[in-house]
Amino acid sequence: MRQLLSGNEALARGAYEAGVRVASAYPGTPSTEVLENLPQYKDSLYAEWAPNEKVAAEVAYGASLAGVRSLCAMKHVGLNVAADPIFTATYNGVGRGFVVISADDPSMHSSQNEQDNRYYAKAAKMAMVEPSDSQECKDFMKAAYEISEKFDLPVLMRTTTRVSHSKSLVELGEREFVPALEYKRDIEKNVSSPANAFQHHPMLEEKLKRIEQYGNMCSLNRMELNGTKIGVVTASVAYQYAKEAFPEDTSFLKIGLTFPLPMDLIRDFAGKVDTLYVVEELEGFMEEQIRAAGIPCSGKDLLGNMYELNAQLIRERIFGTGAQTKKLSVSAVSRPPALCPGCPHRGFFYTMSRRKDFVICGDIGCYTLGAGEPLKALDSCVCMGGGFSVGMGMAKAFEVSKDETKKVFGVMGDSTFFHSGMTGAVEIAYNKGRMIPVVLDNSITAMTGQQENPNSGMTLEGEISDQINIEDVLSAYGYKNIIIVDPQDLRAMQKAMDEAMDSKELSAIITRRPCLLIKRMKHDIGLCSVDGDKCIGCKKCLKVGCPAVFVKDKKANIDPTQCVGCTVCAQVCPVHAITREER
């Protein structure tokens, strides 16, 4: 039977068919849907949202050591968080197969950088496979577990946004029965003491040599010989682009097992063509190694090492010819991302934006949009959990430079707090930070698509779970003055902010209102409207940054198809021209 599946859906299906028993992940675009598609198989496997990627990797690796096939998944920056256990897992080896999915994001569609995680495979010395479409996503998952167990090594399954989210037909198979291994204690293999690690390293290097030889013959790497003039070495979605861009008589060496590279196979292929190109997105990962092996080739000198490729770009940069395109007579209106109408974060950021002496260190999530016009209420955004820690560094810098005019706030969401914000909260308490940590609690992991977290009271598989209260955690850390406030009540929000700044005790703020997109909750939805006779056209309502509010004929208007009746705009109106009605 065939189904139309995205790459992520196919990866989930591949994990099911490969006999995976335990899967753990932290949501992050473009990887999120892998784990979201596993609960349908909960009679056969266990799937969970972990607090962060490091925990997800450790849970999955522990399951592997205990004797069952396991999986963890994350976006590319998540692998930075998970690197510590993964680097050691390659030294130790596995029990049953252990696969790590890294979904890279060329062109940074939803990310703060576009790092090329193929280098993680090389640095960690782990095998790596790269599918180029949904069918390969499913098939390569099975192959990855076979490689992991054959060579006693974790395998990195590296995808990109286009592979993860594009759909193609997939031939489905049956689930393979993979019996659990009997667990036996093996201290020399699984305990990473320096003495054991010293013995593991040469064994790991030998494994990589064996995998390279395996790659010269395995079906994941294949030649497509069509002519002798031009040859292309390529992998992942770049293979699809190259097939469109190059002439019909071009020969291809499609690499599926991309680390270690099958250098003998590449050398053999290079000898069959006059000119060799290497086509790959982002860095010259394969090209560097091919050139180092003494094989002449061209690639990054023409294609560059930034942003996504496509067939037209390849034609233009290699052959100097592009597709003929017709310019439209109109251009698309610029629509920068904005907080949703009714977003609970809007009241907080509006309140913060009114003070020019505030330094606000943000984090990764919906609230990063607080940096945009007209709110402009963020000074930094670095990484998950960085809101508190970066804020602490800035607060200490102002302290040592005797600058008492700056008030520092660190901001993150509830999911991010449990991901990596708790250690930052400890840092502030332990080292006497002159700053105020703020947790924007909207009861869900919102930006990646409404995934559950330890604060939401529900698991990935839909089971009710004990809710971990943020205020209880902060209280245990020593915070004496924990202020909980509804951020859409602007007076209460201002009062909470003033109280936290005036307090002599260790203080924190929790803004608490559920995201309106949580389907399992009943929300109080209304509709705000403007009395045109009262409106004086001052445009203060525009300063809250709500997409539903606009000006027409010098008067404020509210789009009824977008408004949810949060009343933030009404609260800032100086003449009370905006009122709310029940829908």
Side-chain angles (χ1 to χ4, degrees):
M1 183 177 71
R2 294 203 298 172
Q3 284 188 9
L4 186 65
L5 299 178
S6 69
N8 283 344
E9 291 170 328
L11 288 169
R13 178 69 189 190
Y16 166 75
E17 291 186 12
V20 166
R21 299 276 193 93
V22 174
S24 185
Y26 182 81
T29 306
S31 70
T32 305
E33 297 84 4
V34 178
L35 263 283
E36 285 185 330
N37 280 279
L38 285 178
Q40 62 182 306
Y41 308 120
K42 66 180 180 179
D43 291 341
S44 302
L45 56 82
Y46 166 77
E48 67 169 30
W49 290 128
N52 66 24
E53 295 88 354
K54 180 177 184 289
V55 173
E58 291 162 346
V59 167
Y61 184 50
S64 167
L65 295 182
V68 300
R69 287 185 171 181
S70 64
L71 170 72
C72 66
M74 60 205 68
K75 68 181 295 176
H76 63 296
V77 290
L79 196 50
N80 301 332
V81 181
D84 194 0
I86 289 172
F87 272 58
T88 299
T90 61
Y91 268 57
N92 290 359
V94 301
R96 277 293 187 197
F98 174 42
V99 172
V100 179
I101 294 175
S102 169
D104 288 13
D105 190 18
S107 285
M108 300 163 283
H109 297 286
S110 59
S111 308
Q112 63 269 43
N113 67 38
E114 58 173 358
Q115 67 193 47
D116 189 332
N117 274 10
R118 294 179 296 172
Y119 285 95
Y120 262 115
K122 188 176 182 182
K125 299 181 183 295
M126 64 194 302
M128 177 171 62
V129 297
E130 293 189 71
S132 64
D133 60 23
S134 297
Q135 182 68 57
E136 288 188 349
C137 282
K138 194 210 76 162
D139 294 343
F140 281 21
M141 282 295 285
K142 292 183 177 181
Y145 283 100
E146 293 169 1
I147 292 169
S148 179
E149 292 171 0
K150 179 179 179 68
F151 296 100
D152 188 22
L153 197 66
V155 174
L156 184 67
M157 172 73 71
R158 189 253 189 179
T159 66
T160 65
T161 299
R162 297 303 170 194
V163 174
S164 295
H165 291 166
S166 297
K167 291 198 173 189
S168 58
L169 287 173
V170 176
E171 186 72 38
L172 303 186
E174 298 297 322
R175 178 170 169 83
E176 179 183 354
F177 174 71
V178 183
L181 296 175
E182 180 184 356
Y183 177 73
K184 295 179 181 179
R185 178 177 290 169
D186 191 338
I187 293 175
E188 289 186 2
K189 175 178 170 60
N190 297 330
V191 177
S192 301
S193 65
N196 289 339
F198 191 86
Q199 300 298 323
H200 291 163
H201 193 176
M203 297 165 60
L204 175 55
E205 298 294 344
E206 183 59 33
K207 290 177 187 177
L208 293 177
K209 291 178 182 177
R210 290 167 47 214
I211 297 174
E212 181 178 346
Q213 292 305 312
Y214 170 81
N216 289 319
M217 300 175 289
C218 83
S219 61
L220 298 184
N221 304 325
R222 69 172 191 265
M223 288 189 195
E224 299 174 7
L225 298 176
N226 302 308
T228 60
K229 187 176 180 180
I230 298 175
V232 176
V233 178
T234 186
S236 188
V237 73
Y239 165 75
Q240 309 288 2
Y241 303 148
K243 289 281 285 186
E244 286 188 46
F246 280 83
E248 290 185 4
D249 61 349
T250 300
S251 291
F252 292 89
L253 175 55
K254 182 185 179 299
I255 308 292
L257 178 56
T258 48
F259 189 79
L261 281 176
M263 209 54 72
D264 288 347
L265 182 64
I266 295 171
R267 187 173 285 106
D268 178 39
F269 177 74
K272 299 178 184 297
V273 297
D274 298 332
T275 303
L276 185 68
Y277 293 98
V278 181
V279 177
E280 53 189 326
E281 280 188 327
L282 299 184
E283 304 297 331
F285 176 79
M286 294 191 297
E287 183 179 344
E288 289 172 0
Q289 297 176 68
I290 293 169
R291 285 180 178 275
I295 303 171
C297 61
S298 183
K300 287 302 162 187
D301 54 327
L302 300 171
L303 295 173
N305 65 345
M306 294 187 296
Y307 315 135
E308 285 185 305
L309 295 177
N310 58 51
Q312 181 176 336
L313 282 174
I314 294 172
R315 280 193 292 265
E316 289 175 350
R317 293 174 183 176
I318 291 182
F319 301 108
T321 58
Q324 296 297 316
T325 57
K326 183 178 180 181
K327 288 188 177 181
L328 298 175
S329 57
V330 295
S331 57
V333 176
S334 175
R335 295 190 62 181
L339 296 169
C340 299
C343 176
H345 303 329
R346 177 169 285 105
F348 167 78
F349 281 118
Y350 174 76
T351 304
M352 300 297 287
S353 69
R354 299 175 71 191
R355 291 280 294 266
K356 303 306 179 186
D357 57 337
F358 286 175
V359 174
I360 308 162
C361 296
D363 219 292
I364 307 300
C366 295
Y367 33 86
T368 310
L369 299 173
E373 295 279 5
L375 297 168
K376 298 185 70 175
L378 279 187
D379 290 83
S380 71
C381 177
V382 181
C383 62
M384 296 283 282
F388 289 178
S389 306
V390 172
M392 178 64 170
M394 295 186 77
K396 285 298 179 183
F398 295 140
E399 186 177 341
V400 298
S401 61
K402 310 299 183 184
D403 185 350
E404 297 183 359
T405 64
K406 303 289 194 305
K407 316 281 187 209
V408 181
F409 290 78
V411 175
M412 66 182 60
D414 49 313
S415 181
T416 307
F417 177 76
F418 289 107
H419 176 281
S420 50
M422 293 189 293
T423 49
V426 171
E427 158 71 12
I428 296 166
Y430 174 61
N431 285 311
K432 304 183 186 306
R434 295 199 319 192
M435 64 168 293
I436 299 167
V438 183
V439 181
L440 307 180
D441 177 8
N442 62 3
S443 304
I444 205 72
T445 312
M447 179 161 271
T448 50
Q450 310 297 303
Q451 290 80 31
E452 308 296 340
N453 67 61
N455 180 56
S456 67
M458 189 170 289
T459 70
L460 170 62
E461 295 183 337
E463 296 180 356
I464 302 298
S465 174
D466 289 337
Q467 184 180 14
I468 312 300
N469 290 316
I470 297 166
E471 54 267 40
D472 292 346
V473 175
L474 290 172
S475 178
Y477 289 166
Y479 286 82
K480 306 299 182 184
N481 186 29
I482 302 170
I483 306 163
I484 302 174
V485 61
D486 180 351
Q488 286 187 350
D489 183 338
L490 297 187
R491 286 188 179 180
M493 188 67 249
Q494 181 67 53
K495 181 181 177 182
M497 189 177 66
D498 292 339
E499 180 184 340
M501 286 193 300
D502 293 340
S503 177
K504 303 302 181 184
E505 297 180 311
L506 188 62
S507 299
I509 297 174
I510 301 172
T511 68
R512 179 162 289 156
R513 177 175 278 265
C515 174
L516 282 170
L517 300 179
I518 303 176
K519 294 181 180 179
R520 55 182 166 79
M521 289 187 178
K522 184 178 180 181
H523 301 281
D524 179 20
I525 303 296
L527 176 63
C528 290
S529 59
V530 180
D531 185 334
D533 293 332
K534 289 184 177 180
C535 178
I536 59 175
C538 66
K539 300 182 181 179
K540 286 189 176 181
C541 54
L542 296 182
K543 293 183 179 180
V544 304
C546 180
V549 183
F550 63 99
V551 170
K552 183 178 181 181
D553 299 328
K554 299 183 179 181
K555 298 282 187 177
N557 283 261
I558 295 176
D559 182 353
T561 64
Q562 296 193 67
C563 180
V564 295
C566 74
T567 76
V568 171
C569 61
Q571 293 176 67
V572 305
C573 178
V575 294
H576 308 291
I578 303 175
T579 55
R580 181 185 191 273
E581 299 175 359
E582 299 299 322
R583 284 189 184 268

